[in-house]
Amino acid sequence: MSNHKIELTINGRQYSGDVEARTSLADFLRDDAGFTGVHLGCEHGVCGACTITVDGRAVRSCLMLAVQANGATVVTAEGLAAEDGTLHPVQQVMMEEHALQCGFCTPGVVMTLASLTGEGKQCSQAQIEGAMSGHICRCTGYQGIRRSAARLAYDAMGDSAQQGGDA
Amino acid sequence: MTNMNAPEEKSAGILTGKYIGQRVHRKEDPRLLTGHGQFVDDVSVPGQLHVAFTRSPVARASIVSISSDYAREVPGVHAIYTQQDLADFNVDMISFFLASPDVKTTPLADGRVAYVGEPVVMVIADSRAIAEDAASLVEVEYAEETPLITIDDARHGAPVHPGREDNIAAQMGEEEIDEDLEALLQAAPHLVTHKVVHQRISQSPMETRGVLADPEGPKELTLYITCQSPHMVERWTSLALGKPDMAIRVIAKDVGGGFGLKNHPWKEEVAVILAALKFRRPLKWIEDRYENLIGANQAREQEMTLQVALDNDGKLLASHGDYSCNNGAFPQLSECNIAVHMFVWGAYKMPAYGFLTRGWYTNTVGYAAYRGPWAMESLVRETALDVAARRLGIDPIEIRRKNLVTLSEQPTESCMQIPLEDVTPAECLEKLLGYFDVDAFRREQAEAREQGRYLGLGIAAYIEPTGSAGAIATMTGELAQVRIEPTGKVTATMSTHSQGHGTQTTMAQIFADRLGVSYEDVSVFEGDSSRGGFSPGAAGSRQGVIAGGAAILAADKLAEKVRTLAAHLLQVEAAAIAIDAGQISVAGNPDKSISLGELANIAYGEPDRLPPGMESGLEAQHRYQPPPMTFASAANACVVEVDRDTGFVKIQRWISSEDCGTPLNPAVVEGQVSGGLAQAIGMVLLEEVGFDERGNPTAATYKDYMMPAISDIPTFEFVHANTPSQSVGGMRGVGEGGAIIGAPTLVNAIADALAPFGEVEVNLPLTPAKLLSVMEGRDLTPPKVVAPVAVEPVAPAPVAEPVPAADATPAGPVVIDGDWKMILSTPMGPQEMQGHFETSGDNLSGYLSSPEGQMEFTGSVVNGNNLVFDLKVTKPMKITLKYNLLIDGDKISGKCKMGIFGSAKLTGERL
C-alpha cells in the first residue's frame, strides 16, 4: 500500500499528513488530525453523519479519500463556533429548536445547513429540506431539524413549530 | 423511620415551575453541536489495538476447519482467536433479566454456525484496516446444512440447536382454545379473525455498537462501551464473567441511540472483553454498518392472529390471540413476549381472553428489544377494531368509545387482572377529537373519492406500562445524589443515562427549581458506573418517572438542610426562609440574607457554626422506589393520501394526544414521541430486514434497509392531555409510546383510504407495490422458486412429545423422596430452583426453594410417578402455580400452570 504526503487546512489551521492511498478523508480527520466530531454512521455515503465542507461545499468525508483533499480547505463541526465559544447561527438555531437528541448525526446536519445558509446564500426552505433528505436521524423524527430549516431559509417564516393546544 | 422500600408519597398534581414544564435549552447541546461529544470511537487509550471479526457466510453448518495461516502473516497482526481460545473464561451469556440462556451461547462460534454474520474468528491488529484485511484472509471450511429462516420453517424443521427436541424457544398459554372461550367466540353475532405479520427490524442506532476494553492488571477493567446503562453493563459483565473480585468501571458519556439494542453486551463485545483480558492489551472494536445490519441482534418479526367476538352494537364479548416471534439462533432472551397478551386488551372492556404465545429458534441473527417490544398488542388490536368497525358498519371512533375503560369507571382491572386506576386513553381520544374535525375530514374524503383520490383517517388509542420497578431484578428504583458545592453551584450524579433522552437537562430543571438556583448553575453527571448507583438506564420508559422522583426527593432533602442551617445562622424560623436564584432571604426581614455560596462555605468549612448534630457539607441522596407501574395513555390520528397510480402514501397530518403526566420539558417530551412516531412510520412503510432462502440478509446497507428520511415524516401536532400520575412529581413515561401507537394509527389510515377496494392485508411494510395490488386487485405472491441447494438437506428430526403422558410407566421402582434440581422456563427466562419432596402413602409434602425464598406445600397427592401440587405466590402478582410432574428414574419433567401466564415447562434431575 503506497503512502502519500498531504497538506490541507482544517478549521483554519494548517495540517500535514502521511496517509495510505486507501485512507478515507473521514478516517484521516478522526484518527490522524483528531477531529472526532466527524462521525461515521454508515461509511457508504447514505447517512450523512460524516458531512464536512471541502472548499465551501458539503461533502461526505467517508466517500472521499484523504489524498483527494491535498491542498483543500476543510471545515468540520468543530470549526464553526467562534473562538469565544459563541455558537454558529446554525448551531444556535438547532439548540433553540431542539433539533437533536443523541447528537450522533448532528455534526453532519450542522455542516450541511451551514453550507447552505448564511451570508450571501439564497436557499429556500424547500431546498434546505431537500438537502436534509441526505441525512438520517433516528432520534428526532426530524421535527426540530425542519423547524431549523424553516428559520434558516431566506424565505423564513419566522415561526417555529406548529403546535397543538395544551388541552 | 418509614419503610424506605415502600412506594412513597403520592404526587400532588402536574408540576410546573420556573424551569419544570418549560422548553429550556438542553445542557447536552453545546458539546454535541460543536462535535465535542464523546462517543465510544472517540476514546483512545495508549497501547490500544483493534479487532475485526471473520463472520460466517452461511446460515447453518458445522465448522470443518479453520486456517489462519495467511491472516497471521499480515504485518501488524498480533493475535488471532477462535472460541477455543476464549473457552476457559466459561462466560455465561445471561439475559437482561440475568437468567442463563436456554441454549449454549458463546462469544465466537463453537464448532457450528447458526446464522449468516455469526462471528467465528477474531483478529487483533495495529489498526482496524489491518485487522479487517487479515480477517478476510482467514479460511473457514463449513459443512453446510439446510437453514430454517422463517417462523414457519421453525415449526416443521430440524432443531436449530442440536439436542433440543424442537425449535420452541419459549411458550406460554394454552395450545387448545379453552372450551368456554371457544363457545363465547362461536356464539357471538360477529367474529373477526385478524392477522398481522410484522417484518424484522434493525434498531439502527446511528452509532453502531462498539467497545474499548482496557484491562488494568488482573483485578481492574475499564470498559468504554456504547450502551443504555453503564451500571447495567457493569453488573452484567461482572456476572457473565463470574468475576466478583474484579473492579469493573463502565464509561459511556455520549451514546448515539440505543432503542433496545444496547441493553447489555452480546457476542462481539464479550469476545473483545475476553480477548483484552487474555492478550492483556486494550482492545477496541467499532462495528461498521454492514456488520450492524447483519450481525447485531434485531427485533420484531412477529405474527399474530387475533379473534375478536362482538355483539351487533360493536361491544366486545371475547377474544383469543395466537402469537409467534422469531427469536433467531441466539436471542438475548428466549422470548415469547407475554407482555403482548398482558396489554392487548389492557384498556378495553374485554370480558374474556385466552392466548397461545411462542418464540421460535431459527438460523437468523438473534432477537433483542426494540422500543416498545410488546407493541404488537396495540397494532393487532387497533387494526382489528377498525376491521370490525368496517364489517359492522360502525364508526371506528364509536367502537372505541363503546369499549375503552373511562376514567370514571376506574379503579377496575383488565381481563388479565392488571389493576387500572388512572389510565386515560378514552379521555385522550376525546381531547384529540376536540382538536381535529372528523366530520370535515369525512366530507373532504368523500369529495376526493369522487375525483379518484384516496384519503384515509386512522385513529388509535393505547396505554403503556412505564416506570416499572420492583417486580424484576434489574428494574429497580433510581438514585439521585446532589450537592451544593462550596462555590454555591449545584452538582448532581444520577443513575440515569441518556442516549438522546436529555436527562442531564430534565434532571437539572428539577434541581434548579427545587433548590432555588438558576438552571445555568446546575451540572448533572451520568454515564459512568463509578458514579451514581444502579439502574437499568433507558429501559421501559422509566427515567423521567423514577429518576425524576428521585431528583425531587433528594433536592427537597437538601433544601430542607439549607433552610435549617440558614435559619440557625440568621436566627429566624426555618419556615421564614426562601431560596431563589441562589440567594437566601427571610420573609418580612429584608436585612437578613445570605447567598447559597456563603452558606455552603460555612457548611463545609466552619463546622463550629452549624447547629448541634448537623452533618457538615451540603449533600443529599435519595433512591426513589415508585409505584410498581405507571401507565401512560395516548390517542393518535393521522390523515394520509394513497396515490392511485403509484401506491405511495403521503402523510398529510398527524396529531398526538398524549397523557405523560407532568411534562418536565415539553420539547423533550415531544422529541421522544416524535422519534417514536418516525420509527413507527419506518416500520409501516419502509424498513425491512429480509433473508433469502439460504438465510442471506437482503438488506446489508442503508441503500437496501430504508430508514425514514425527513421527506417521509410529517410535522407532528401535539395535544398535551396530561393528568398527574401517582408517582412523585406526577410524571408518566414517554420513551416508547410513539413507536407503539404510531404503527396502528398509520395502518388504519391506509386501510381507511383503500376501503373502497377491500381490506388491506397487514403484512408490513406496506410498500407501494402491496398497496397497488390492493387497488388493482392483483395477486403479488411470487412464483415459488426453489433455490439450488449445494448440500444434502437434513431430514427433519422427529419432534418428541414435550411432556410425557401421565400414564407413562416408570422403568423401575419410583423414588420421589429427596432433593431435586429443577428448571422452570418462565416468561423472564429459565428459573432454577431446588425441590424437596417427602411422601407418606399418597400424600406429598415438601418445598421449592430459589434465591427468592422457600415455599412449602402440604396435602398434595402423588400417584405412582406423578406429582401434583399447588403453590400460591404473591409476586409479581397473586397466582396459584399448579405443578404436574413426572418422575422417571433420576429425571423429573412436567408442566407448571401459572394462572393467566399459561403453562411453563419444567425439567430437572435428582441431586
Side-chain angles (χ1 to χ4, degrees), chain B residues 56-64 109-116 118 120 140-147 160 162 363 694 791 794:
Chain B
S56 174
V58 297
R60 177 171 176 144
S62 57
I63 297 172
V64 177
D110 189 19
R112 290 181 61 80
V113 290
Y115 61 93
V116 171
E118 183 171 355
V120 179
V140 185
E141 192 186 335
Y142 297 96
E144 202 177 345
E145 299 164 11
T146 300
V160 165
N363 291 112
R694 303 301 297 166
V791 293
V794 177

Tab-separated table of all heavy atoms in Angstrom, chain B residues 56-64 109-116 118 120 140-147 160 162 363 694 791 794:
chain	number	residue	atom	x	y	z
B	56	SER	N	-19.483	-15.764	9.647
B	56	SER	CA	-19.977	-16.881	8.852
B	56	SER	C	-20.726	-16.381	7.621
B	56	SER	O	-21.611	-15.535	7.733
B	56	SER	CB	-20.922	-17.750	9.677
B	56	SER	OG	-21.483	-18.739	8.817
B	57	PRO	N	-20.393	-16.936	6.449
B	57	PRO	CA	-21.152	-16.598	5.244
B	57	PRO	C	-22.336	-17.538	5.025
B	57	PRO	O	-23.063	-17.382	4.052
B	57	PRO	CB	-20.107	-16.777	4.140
B	57	PRO	CG	-19.216	-17.868	4.653
B	57	PRO	CD	-19.240	-17.805	6.164
B	58	VAL	N	-22.508	-18.502	5.900
B	58	VAL	CA	-23.618	-19.453	5.749
B	58	VAL	C	-24.459	-19.445	7.025
B	58	VAL	O	-23.991	-19.094	8.104
B	58	VAL	CB	-23.124	-20.895	5.458
B	58	VAL	CG1	-22.387	-20.944	4.135
B	58	VAL	CG2	-22.229	-21.399	6.584
B	59	ALA	N	-25.728	-19.860	6.872
B	59	ALA	CA	-26.672	-19.721	7.977
B	59	ALA	C	-26.668	-20.928	8.909
B	59	ALA	O	-27.106	-20.822	10.059
B	59	ALA	CB	-28.082	-19.497	7.435
B	60	ARG	N	-26.200	-22.069	8.408
B	60	ARG	CA	-26.259	-23.256	9.272
B	60	ARG	C	-25.236	-24.254	8.768
B	60	ARG	O	-25.299	-24.695	7.615
B	60	ARG	CB	-27.660	-23.857	9.201
B	60	ARG	CG	-27.830	-25.140	10.003
B	60	ARG	CD	-29.297	-25.513	10.036
B	60	ARG	NE	-29.512	-26.775	10.703
B	60	ARG	CZ	-30.568	-27.033	11.467
B	60	ARG	NH1	-31.501	-26.110	11.639
B	60	ARG	NH2	-30.707	-28.196	12.033
B	61	ALA	N	-24.295	-24.581	9.611
B	61	ALA	CA	-23.239	-25.502	9.195
B	61	ALA	C	-22.458	-25.937	10.410
B	61	ALA	O	-22.487	-25.276	11.459
B	61	ALA	CB	-22.288	-24.806	8.214
B	62	SER	N	-21.754	-27.057	10.250
B	62	SER	CA	-20.721	-27.345	11.224
B	62	SER	C	-19.410	-26.849	10.637
B	62	SER	O	-19.237	-26.794	9.414
B	62	SER	CB	-20.675	-28.834	11.554
B	62	SER	OG	-20.478	-29.566	10.371
B	63	ILE	N	-18.511	-26.439	11.528
B	63	ILE	CA	-17.217	-25.919	11.072
B	63	ILE	C	-16.276	-27.106	10.919
B	63	ILE	O	-16.023	-27.844	11.876
B	63	ILE	CB	-16.667	-24.897	12.078
B	63	ILE	CG1	-17.613	-23.687	12.151
B	63	ILE	CG2	-15.263	-24.460	11.695
B	63	ILE	CD1	-17.266	-22.708	13.253
B	64	VAL	N	-15.765	-27.287	9.696
B	64	VAL	CA	-14.872	-28.423	9.435
B	64	VAL	C	-13.454	-28.065	9.833
B	64	VAL	O	-12.760	-28.835	10.488
B	64	VAL	CB	-14.941	-28.821	7.942
B	64	VAL	CG1	-13.963	-29.952	7.640
B	64	VAL	CG2	-16.364	-29.204	7.557
B	109	ALA	N	-18.275	-18.556	17.432
B	109	ALA	CA	-18.946	-19.817	17.087
B	109	ALA	C	-18.176	-21.003	17.663
B	109	ALA	O	-16.949	-21.045	17.605
B	109	ALA	CB	-19.057	-19.935	15.573
B	110	ASP	N	-18.922	-21.950	18.215
B	110	ASP	CA	-18.321	-23.089	18.899
B	110	ASP	C	-18.584	-24.366	18.103
B	110	ASP	O	-19.496	-25.121	18.427
B	110	ASP	CB	-18.916	-23.195	20.313
B	110	ASP	CG	-18.190	-24.230	21.159
B	110	ASP	OD1	-17.046	-24.589	20.815
B	110	ASP	OD2	-18.774	-24.678	22.158
B	111	GLY	N	-17.840	-24.564	17.027
B	111	GLY	CA	-17.968	-25.803	16.252
B	111	GLY	C	-19.070	-25.768	15.213
B	111	GLY	O	-19.035	-26.499	14.231
B	112	ARG	N	-20.092	-24.909	15.433
B	112	ARG	CA	-21.190	-24.786	14.485
B	112	ARG	C	-21.491	-23.302	14.288
B	112	ARG	O	-21.207	-22.498	15.165
B	112	ARG	CB	-22.466	-25.448	15.029
B	112	ARG	CG	-22.429	-26.959	15.091
B	112	ARG	CD	-23.756	-27.513	15.618
B	112	ARG	NE	-24.905	-27.163	14.773
B	112	ARG	CZ	-25.229	-27.793	13.658
B	112	ARG	NH1	-24.515	-28.811	13.248
B	112	ARG	NH2	-26.269	-27.411	12.949
B	113	VAL	N	-22.076	-22.978	13.143
B	113	VAL	CA	-22.600	-21.622	12.975
B	113	VAL	C	-24.103	-21.727	12.792
B	113	VAL	O	-24.607	-22.723	12.243
B	113	VAL	CB	-21.964	-20.873	11.783
B	113	VAL	CG1	-20.519	-20.533	12.075
B	113	VAL	CG2	-22.109	-21.673	10.494
B	114	ALA	N	-24.818	-20.719	13.252
B	114	ALA	CA	-26.284	-20.799	13.225
B	114	ALA	C	-26.931	-19.579	12.561
B	114	ALA	O	-28.152	-19.459	12.555
B	114	ALA	CB	-26.822	-20.986	14.636
B	115	TYR	N	-26.140	-18.639	12.050
B	115	TYR	CA	-26.713	-17.543	11.256
B	115	TYR	C	-25.618	-16.884	10.424
B	115	TYR	O	-24.439	-16.940	10.791
B	115	TYR	CB	-27.424	-16.507	12.133
B	115	TYR	CG	-26.574	-15.786	13.151
B	115	TYR	CD1	-25.976	-14.552	12.852
B	115	TYR	CD2	-26.369	-16.307	14.421
B	115	TYR	CE1	-25.214	-13.877	13.788
B	115	TYR	CE2	-25.605	-15.633	15.368
B	115	TYR	CZ	-25.031	-14.419	15.038
B	115	TYR	OH	-24.275	-13.748	15.968
B	116	VAL	N	-26.032	-16.312	9.310
B	116	VAL	CA	-25.090	-15.566	8.481
B	116	VAL	C	-24.659	-14.332	9.276
B	116	VAL	O	-25.501	-13.589	9.783
B	116	VAL	CB	-25.732	-15.145	7.145
B	116	VAL	CG1	-24.813	-14.167	6.389
B	116	VAL	CG2	-26.029	-16.365	6.291
B	118	GLU	N	-22.541	-14.631	11.923
B	118	GLU	CA	-22.073	-15.050	13.251
B	118	GLU	C	-20.555	-14.924	13.322
B	118	GLU	O	-19.832	-15.395	12.447
B	118	GLU	CB	-22.494	-16.504	13.526
B	118	GLU	CG	-22.099	-16.949	14.926
B	118	GLU	CD	-22.690	-18.301	15.333
B	118	GLU	OE1	-23.493	-18.859	14.559
B	118	GLU	OE2	-22.335	-18.791	16.413
B	120	VAL	N	-16.900	-15.821	13.952
B	120	VAL	CA	-16.236	-17.126	14.063
B	120	VAL	C	-14.806	-16.965	14.554
B	120	VAL	O	-14.344	-17.714	15.405
B	120	VAL	CB	-16.260	-17.848	12.691
B	120	VAL	CG1	-15.556	-19.200	12.777
B	120	VAL	CG2	-17.700	-18.033	12.196
B	140	VAL	N	-12.201	-20.564	6.504
B	140	VAL	CA	-13.036	-21.462	7.309
B	140	VAL	C	-13.779	-22.385	6.354
B	140	VAL	O	-14.391	-21.930	5.388
B	140	VAL	CB	-14.042	-20.677	8.173
B	140	VAL	CG1	-14.815	-21.626	9.091
B	140	VAL	CG2	-13.351	-19.599	8.985
B	141	GLU	N	-13.696	-23.693	6.607
B	141	GLU	CA	-14.439	-24.652	5.782
B	141	GLU	C	-15.695	-25.065	6.549
B	141	GLU	O	-15.623	-25.421	7.727
B	141	GLU	CB	-13.570	-25.876	5.498
B	141	GLU	CG	-14.152	-26.762	4.418
B	141	GLU	CD	-13.339	-28.056	4.241
B	141	GLU	OE1	-12.130	-28.061	4.566
B	141	GLU	OE2	-13.936	-29.056	3.803
B	142	TYR	N	-16.842	-24.991	5.866
B	142	TYR	CA	-18.117	-25.297	6.506
B	142	TYR	C	-18.769	-26.510	5.856
B	142	TYR	O	-18.688	-26.678	4.641
B	142	TYR	CB	-19.084	-24.120	6.343
B	142	TYR	CG	-18.622	-22.835	7.005
B	142	TYR	CD1	-17.960	-21.855	6.265
B	142	TYR	CD2	-18.862	-22.596	8.353
B	142	TYR	CE1	-17.545	-20.674	6.861
B	142	TYR	CE2	-18.444	-21.405	8.952
B	142	TYR	CZ	-17.786	-20.451	8.197
B	142	TYR	OH	-17.376	-19.288	8.785
B	143	ALA	N	-19.422	-27.347	6.640
B	143	ALA	CA	-20.298	-28.400	6.097
B	143	ALA	C	-21.717	-27.878	6.225
B	143	ALA	O	-22.320	-27.926	7.307
B	143	ALA	CB	-20.112	-29.693	6.876
B	144	GLU	N	-22.222	-27.346	5.118
B	144	GLU	CA	-23.461	-26.584	5.176
B	144	GLU	C	-24.684	-27.494	5.314
B	144	GLU	O	-24.717	-28.592	4.772
B	144	GLU	CB	-23.579	-25.740	3.895
B	144	GLU	CG	-24.498	-24.561	4.055
B	144	GLU	CD	-24.553	-23.692	2.806
B	144	GLU	OE1	-23.673	-23.827	1.928
B	144	GLU	OE2	-25.498	-22.894	2.711
B	145	GLU	N	-25.659	-26.999	6.065
B	145	GLU	CA	-26.930	-27.708	6.231
B	145	GLU	C	-28.056	-26.787	5.791
B	145	GLU	O	-27.841	-25.585	5.607
B	145	GLU	CB	-27.120	-28.108	7.704
B	145	GLU	CG	-26.027	-29.045	8.219
B	145	GLU	CD	-25.998	-29.132	9.746
B	145	GLU	OE1	-26.953	-28.635	10.390
B	145	GLU	OE2	-25.027	-29.672	10.276
B	146	THR	N	-29.247	-27.348	5.640
B	146	THR	CA	-30.384	-26.521	5.218
B	146	THR	C	-30.861	-25.665	6.388
B	146	THR	O	-31.221	-26.196	7.437
B	146	THR	CB	-31.531	-27.416	4.732
B	146	THR	OG1	-31.046	-28.185	3.633
B	146	THR	CG2	-32.708	-26.576	4.273
B	147	PRO	N	-30.834	-24.360	6.225
B	147	PRO	CA	-31.202	-23.499	7.353
B	147	PRO	C	-32.713	-23.325	7.491
B	147	PRO	O	-33.465	-23.509	6.527
B	147	PRO	CB	-30.548	-22.166	6.986
B	147	PRO	CG	-30.564	-22.151	5.492
B	147	PRO	CD	-30.433	-23.584	5.037
B	160	VAL	N	-32.785	-26.184	15.340
B	160	VAL	CA	-31.628	-25.323	15.087
B	160	VAL	C	-30.489	-25.685	16.029
B	160	VAL	O	-29.324	-25.678	15.646
B	160	VAL	CB	-32.055	-23.847	15.274
B	160	VAL	CG1	-30.840	-22.925	15.400
B	160	VAL	CG2	-32.957	-23.405	14.124
B	162	PRO	N	-28.720	-28.503	18.162
B	162	PRO	CA	-28.653	-29.951	18.344
B	162	PRO	C	-28.939	-30.318	19.802
B	162	PRO	O	-28.494	-29.625	20.717
B	162	PRO	CB	-27.195	-30.276	17.994
B	162	PRO	CG	-26.714	-29.136	17.174
B	162	PRO	CD	-27.470	-27.934	17.635
B	363	ASN	N	-32.379	-20.015	12.050
B	363	ASN	CA	-30.992	-19.734	11.675
B	363	ASN	C	-30.859	-18.291	11.187
B	363	ASN	O	-30.472	-18.021	10.051
B	363	ASN	CB	-30.524	-20.717	10.598
B	363	ASN	CG	-30.392	-22.120	11.152
B	363	ASN	OD1	-31.145	-23.024	10.801
B	363	ASN	ND2	-29.438	-22.296	12.040
B	694	ARG	N	-31.575	-19.090	1.717
B	694	ARG	CA	-30.400	-19.658	2.368
B	694	ARG	C	-29.999	-18.842	3.603
B	694	ARG	O	-28.940	-19.064	4.176
B	694	ARG	CB	-29.206	-19.721	1.389
B	694	ARG	CG	-29.469	-20.507	0.128
B	694	ARG	CD	-29.842	-21.947	0.392
B	694	ARG	NE	-28.772	-22.712	1.043
B	694	ARG	CZ	-28.960	-23.902	1.605
B	694	ARG	NH1	-30.164	-24.453	1.617
B	694	ARG	NH2	-27.950	-24.533	2.163
B	791	VAL	N	-25.937	-28.726	-0.706
B	791	VAL	CA	-25.653	-29.885	0.162
B	791	VAL	C	-26.929	-30.694	0.367
B	791	VAL	O	-28.032	-30.239	0.092
B	791	VAL	CB	-25.116	-29.420	1.528
B	791	VAL	CG1	-23.758	-28.785	1.379
B	791	VAL	CG2	-26.088	-28.463	2.181
B	794	VAL	N	-30.959	-31.783	5.414
B	794	VAL	CA	-31.048	-32.610	6.614
B	794	VAL	C	-32.509	-32.960	6.848
B	794	VAL	O	-33.364	-32.078	6.860
B	794	VAL	CB	-30.488	-31.850	7.825
B	794	VAL	CG1	-30.647	-32.668	9.088
B	794	VAL	CG2	-29.024	-31.507	7.593
